[in-house]
Amino acid sequence: MPIQYDETRRMFRLDTDHTSYVIAITEAGYAAHLYYGKRVSHFPDAKLLRQDEYPAPDVLPREKLTYLNALPFEYPTDGVGDFRPGALGVRNAKGQPGCELFYASHAVTEGKEGLPGLPASFPGEEQGVETLSLVLADPALCLTVTLLYSVFPKEDVITRSVMVRNDGKTPLVLEKVLSASLDMDDRNYEAISLDGNWARERHICRRPVGFGQTTVRSIRGESSHQENPFLALCTPDTNEEQGEVYGLLLMYSGNHIESAEKNQFGFMRLSSGIHPDGFSWNLGPGETFAAPEVICTYSGEGLGRMTRNYHDFIRGHVIRSPWKKKPRPVLINNWEATYFDFDGEKIYALAKEAKQFGIEMLVLDDGWFGHRNDDNSSLGDWKVNESKIGSLAELSQKIHGLGMKFGLWFEPEMISVDSDLYRAHPDWALQVEGRTPTLSRNQLVLDLSRKEVRDTVYGEIHAVLQNAGIDYIKWDMNRNLTNIGGIGTGREGQTELLHRYVLGVYEMQERLITDFPDLLLENCSGGGARFDAGMLYYSPQIWCSDDTDAIERLRIQEGTALVYPMSAMGAHVSKCPNEQIGRTTPFDTRANVALAGTFGYELNLADLPEEDRKKIPEQVERYHRYHALIADGDYYRLHTWTDAEPYDCWMNAAKDGSEALVTYVQVLGRPSTNSAKVFLRGLLPDARYEIQEECGTKAVQEYGSFQPLTEGWGDVLMNAGFPVPALGDFQSRLYALRKI
Ligand code: GLA
């Protein structure tokens, strides 16, 4: 039983296969956090609770109590003497702050429910998932707070979310509702986050957590290029295979905060949820607010285990699309091939050419609608530009006639000032009256908190899909939110607008995949600004980055795959010199790196040298051969490139150890060095493997004596290593291992 309650101790123990989480109800009725970490088979003693620095609530009567600054809380509140960051801030009908929560009741149920209007993980095929609903109440506010914990034993995951209900007769204001808070003693923890910018998203960043607050956040209205909604704490000895790691991943696509605060007692509080800046929620009598889910995992076996927990969990319990188990059609996208400069014939010619090489889908990117020939106009006018491309239905028919699928780009959340939609409804853009709105990429953001706006835009998209027979959509979102005011919203609703906007996006995507259940949806936001678990609930894949350079992609994809599965990472082979960085890399290396994600092309095939063109059918075939292994197998980071050792290496191993694929990329070549030795993982120690070079660029010097290994024992390859010859700049190798 994953969830147990010990009535005499008033303790809950939540067990996954390798972890335990313990909650204690103190005598005073507080829900206290007792333990999270490696699995224990006994209930701890209540004396483990830290109550010593201040007179403890259970020692003194409430009226004699000073501060609540020492007790580890399951869900800390603001305004009553806990000076660490609270998870919940409430004001009563008079505007006075403060909230104090006491145990009211609990229930343990099988399975897991969804959350109203929000993405939420689900049990799927897994047996033994259980949910604890821990109900806390503040009698002074007539407020009920239900803490939800769902236990997924196999993946060592506990998800958390919170429902806040106003049971009184007067309105309340929620100023902050975080989704999870985790109190623990500090052990010199280091923080790991995924940071970056446009075209270099989600680089792994590790730093010590000092006194005060270490935060990851976005106030951009989306999860952002800059700081992904993920934070892990690890002990300083942590590497891929050892060390203790706590990961929090927020399943939400708007403003967020993840923070670790170390206080004067060497105490650590970790929390995650919607960023309170610009947020407050009016909770009328009888109303409930649901906070998004946080996916928590603990690994006692380093970062590698954390990664594999998240991959298994997201694949099994977050991504719903029927596409998740299916190989994705290898696509050609016209964006970097043509930008806005195309017509129907050019697109058809690109499809026809692609078809010859075995490419399976054409994606028509930005510029097919309104009068959009650059990025100054037409967002919001989802009407086919027939003078540019002719009939979309006919183009779609012709492409289908080639035996290919047909995909289309939309940017549903945006409005151009030069658009019929804006001319008809200028008030539909987010704006603050009397203030000139901030443009970004010449566009404004639609107020998707309004139903009529969502209905109109969705209606137009629906009509295009239905008329033209579209198999795939790239749902783009190319700017951050500013001037977050709504013309159709009253005074009190303005602070709810940002969250309602995110709920609006979720509602539209839910409608889309319900109405078109076979549609392959790929989310995108100026590259990877909304690569988060919330979006993965709706789309099985997300465009990882606008940076398609194979070398830049190493860091981007490594960071992304720290948490998110490879099957979700949009990755394409593009032209050289690369559009974003000007670098020229071998065609094979570009394909080997893109193979780590959902494989495709984004270039004009006609411009490629003949020797590269010839390789495409083999690359497409390779994607199909290895898709299941890469998408469903276990991922291991074997080496991250540094100045001293400028190569990158990772592998994907089948869960049963029967096969594996090793990708090695030499970022810079070095003279006079030995061949690199990589230590493989995920193999069966006693199995013998045949090793085949799948795809390789030329070595700088294959030294006369270098003899590639063609067979080896699992334990030898993992412990003694596997040698790779010295390669030059940007060269790469793929090695396939198969159990003999
Ligand atoms: C964004 C996307 C690109 C492309 C352009 C089109 O930048 O990330 O892939 O679709 O928009 O305008």
Side-chain angles (χ1 to χ4, degrees):
M1 277 202 316
I3 300 179
Q4 293 179 60
Y5 178 57
D6 183 323
E7 202 153 355
T8 45
R9 290 187 173 85
R10 297 223 295 175
M11 274 185 207
F12 300 92
R13 206 175 82 215
L14 285 52
D15 291 330
T16 69
D17 285 359
H18 305 100
T19 73
S20 294
Y21 188 114
V22 185
I23 301 165
I25 306 301
T26 71
E27 262 175 52
Y30 297 116
H33 180 75
L34 209 54
Y35 175 70
Y36 186 29
K38 195 173 156 63
R39 185 171 171 150
V40 292
S41 34
H42 306 279
F43 275 93
D45 192 281
K47 289 190 179 118
L48 257 187
L49 268 183
R50 283 234 180 284
Q51 305 204 49
D52 41 0
E53 290 86 355
Y54 285 103
D58 291 337
V59 178
L60 290 177
R62 181 66 186 87
E63 56 279 10
K64 294 254 169 84
L65 203 67
T66 51
Y67 302 132
L68 289 165
N69 218 17
L71 190 72
F73 282 102
E74 269 306 309
Y75 197 63
T77 52
D78 283 346
V80 286
D82 181 349
F83 300 108
R84 299 160 293 182
L88 182 67
V90 189
R91 284 187 188 268
N92 65 18
K94 297 205 158 138
Q96 295 150 347
C99 176
E100 193 171 0
L101 296 173
F102 301 95
Y103 171 84
S105 66
H106 74 269
V108 175
T109 47
E110 233 176 71
K112 178 178 186 296
E113 301 281 317
L115 289 171
L118 284 164
S121 62
F122 48 85
E125 286 157 19
E126 186 165 340
Q127 302 291 314
V129 176
E130 283 186 358
T131 299
L132 166 66
S133 307
L134 181 57
V135 184
L136 311 178
D138 181 333
L141 289 173
C142 291
L143 185 78
T144 301
V145 175
T146 305
L147 306 182
L148 297 163
Y149 302 78
S150 295
V151 182
F152 293 78
K154 251 180 39 206
E155 294 85 1
D156 289 328
V157 160
I158 295 175
T159 63
R160 290 186 57 177
S161 57
V162 179
M163 308 279 273
V164 184
R165 197 178 66 226
N166 180 350
D167 288 326
K169 291 195 166 52
T170 53
L172 301 171
V173 175
L174 308 177
E175 296 193 302
K176 167 166 57 177
V177 190
L178 298 188
S179 298
S181 179
L182 192 60
D183 282 354
M184 49 182 139
D185 291 330
D186 182 37
R187 291 166 55 203
N188 287 324
Y189 284 117
E190 295 179 0
I192 298 180
S193 54
L194 299 174
D195 307 338
N197 203 350
W198 173 79
R200 52 184 172 81
E201 297 91 336
R202 293 175 299 285
H203 287 202
I204 297 173
C205 169
R206 180 165 170 172
R207 58 205 180 278
V209 179
F211 191 78
Q213 223 170 359
T214 300
T215 58
V216 168
R217 54 153 219 160
S218 167
I219 50 161
R220 294 168 182 269
E222 59 177 344
S223 44
S224 88
H225 293 103
Q226 288 76 8
E227 298 176 56
N228 199 257
F230 163 77
L231 178 65
L233 287 189
C234 64
T235 48
D237 61 332
T238 298
N239 59 26
E240 286 303 311
E241 282 162 14
Q242 67 168 51
E244 299 192 50
V245 191
Y246 295 87
L248 297 190
L249 175 66
L250 184 67
M251 201 170 174
Y252 188 63
S253 312
N255 285 359
H256 61 89
I257 183 161
E258 291 70 39
S259 92
E261 186 179 280
K262 184 161 147 176
N263 79 357
Q264 69 273 31
F265 304 122
F267 189 94
M268 186 70 81
R269 174 166 288 171
L270 194 59
S271 52
S272 171
I274 296 177
H275 201 300
D277 272 15
F279 168 92
S280 78
W281 198 268
N282 304 291
L283 197 69
E287 288 178 353
T288 299
F289 178 84
E293 194 166 303
V294 176
I295 304 167
C296 312
T297 193
Y298 163 84
S299 157
E301 295 164 46
L303 292 174
R305 167 66 55 204
M306 177 198 76
T307 289
R308 290 183 288 280
N309 288 351
Y310 274 129
H311 285 195
D312 288 346
F313 186 77
I314 293 172
R315 292 185 296 211
H317 307 290
V318 171
I319 301 177
R320 292 177 295 167
S321 169
W323 279 97
K324 79 169 155 186
K325 290 251 176 230
K326 288 196 255 172
R328 317 292 154 79
V330 172
L331 65 81
I332 173 109
N333 179 303
N334 76 305
W335 179 241
E336 285 194 21
T338 65
Y339 294 106
F340 292 104
D341 181 18
F342 61 84
D343 56 22
E345 272 172 33
K346 223 183 199 178
I347 295 302
Y348 182 61
L350 188 63
K352 232 168 118 183
E353 175 118 49
K355 173 66 188 173
Q356 282 179 43
F357 299 109
I359 295 173
E360 298 150 315
M361 175 161 75
L362 181 123
V363 175
L364 176 53
D365 211 280
D366 195 355
W368 56 268
F369 52 91
H371 59 278
R372 188 158 163 104
N373 289 311
D374 53 36
D375 59 17
N376 280 301
S377 81
S378 305
L379 294 173
D381 296 344
W382 302 108
K383 301 266 182 335
V384 182
N385 183 350
E386 296 205 340
S387 59
K388 184 171 178 178
I389 62 162
S391 147
L392 187 70
E394 272 171 32
L395 181 61
S396 163
Q397 226 174 33
K398 275 166 63 186
I399 290 171
H400 284 126
L402 293 170
M404 293 175 83
K405 293 187 184 299
F406 183 45
L408 205 57
W409 180 97
F410 284 93
E411 198 178 355
E413 300 162 58
M414 298 293 150
I415 182 166
S416 304
V417 173
D418 178 6
S419 68
D420 292 342
L421 188 68
Y422 189 80
R423 281 182 282 274
H425 300 286
D427 61 310
W428 283 12
L430 289 179
Q431 59 198 280
V432 173
E433 282 166 76
R435 197 171 290 287
T436 309
T438 312
L439 283 177
S440 174
R441 213 190 184 209
N442 311 309
Q443 63 201 49
L444 299 174
V445 183
L446 280 168
D447 182 355
L448 293 186
S449 71
R450 290 168 71 171
K451 187 171 181 319
E452 68 272 32
V453 178
R454 295 197 299 273
D455 287 349
T456 304
V457 177
Y458 181 74
E460 292 212 3
I461 296 174
H462 189 280
V464 175
L465 295 197
Q466 219 164 30
N467 296 338
I470 304 295
D471 305 297
Y472 157 109
I473 279 194
K474 178 172 169 188
W475 178 303
D476 209 341
M477 194 274 192
N478 275 315
R479 60 159 295 177
N480 298 151
L481 274 53
T482 58
N483 308 93
I484 302 152
I487 298 293
T489 308
R491 187 177 183 280
E492 294 199 326
Q494 300 292 343
T495 58
E496 299 178 359
L497 205 150
L498 255 173
H499 181 56
R500 288 193 188 277
Y501 175 94
V502 180
L503 296 178
V505 173
Y506 290 150
E507 185 225 71
M508 287 174 78
Q509 296 211 351
E510 186 71 45
R511 282 170 83 175
L512 187 64
I513 57 175
T514 308
D515 291 349
F516 300 95
D518 297 327
L519 185 80
L520 173 55
L521 176 61
E522 174 156 1
N523 268 292
C524 170
S525 178
R530 220 163 45 182
F531 205 117
D532 59 61
M535 298 320 282
L536 287 175
Y537 185 66
Y538 303 94
S539 67
Q541 62 193 59
I542 301 177
W543 183 227
C544 206
S545 175
D546 276 348
D547 199 327
T548 53
D549 172 69
I551 300 304
E552 287 298 306
R553 276 283 179 140
L554 295 176
R555 287 251 154 92
I556 297 170
Q557 294 183 182
E558 180 188 62
T560 306
L562 183 75
V563 172
Y564 304 101
M566 329 285 275
S567 62
M569 298 197 301
H572 298 167
V573 177
S574 67
K575 71 178 167 202
C576 278
N578 177 266
E579 288 286 281
Q580 292 79 31
I581 186 89
R583 187 178 284 135
T584 296
T585 52
F587 195 59
D588 285 322
T589 297
R590 282 178 264 158
N592 290 344
V593 172
L595 191 66
T598 66
F599 190 73
Y601 295 84
E602 186 155 341
L603 41 70
N604 192 353
L605 298 166
D607 293 343
L608 275 177
E610 195 47 38
E611 56 174 316
D612 290 348
R613 285 160 60 88
K614 280 200 297 226
K615 292 177 176 165
I616 299 177
E618 196 189 321
Q619 293 174 349
V620 172
E621 193 268 321
R622 189 174 298 124
Y623 166 75
H624 284 294
R625 186 145 28 102
Y626 291 112
H627 167 78
L629 175 63
I630 295 170
D632 305 331
D634 284 338
Y635 163 74
Y636 294 88
R637 283 173 294 276
L638 302 186
H639 193 271
T640 299
W641 70 278
T642 60
D643 289 345
E645 290 191 80
Y647 68 89
D648 226 56
C649 189
W650 67 90
M651 76 184 275
N652 303 89
K655 290 209 174 275
D656 64 1
S658 60
E659 56 168 340
L661 188 71
V662 179
T663 310
Y664 178 100
V665 182
Q666 189 74 43
V667 173
L668 286 178
R670 303 186 75 207
S672 300
T673 53
N674 284 329
S675 50
K677 213 178 251 175
V678 290
F679 297 87
L680 305 189
R681 291 289 173 260
L683 303 177
L684 300 170
D686 295 325
R688 190 151 176 87
Y689 290 86
E690 159 197 275
I691 307 165
Q692 218 174 35
E693 195 190 308
E694 251 293 330
C695 170
T697 51
K698 248 183 82 232
V700 190
Q701 307 143 291
E702 297 271 10
Y703 293 107
S705 55
F706 186 86
Q707 293 291 328
L709 265 185
T710 53
E711 269 191 37
W713 290 104
D715 61 349
V716 177
L717 294 166
M718 293 193 286
N719 294 304
F722 171 72
V724 179
L727 301 180
D729 295 357
F730 316 142
Q731 308 289 318
S732 62
R733 290 278 160 109
L734 273 187
Y735 295 97
L737 282 83
R738 209 165 298 275
K739 196 173 126 208
I740 302 172

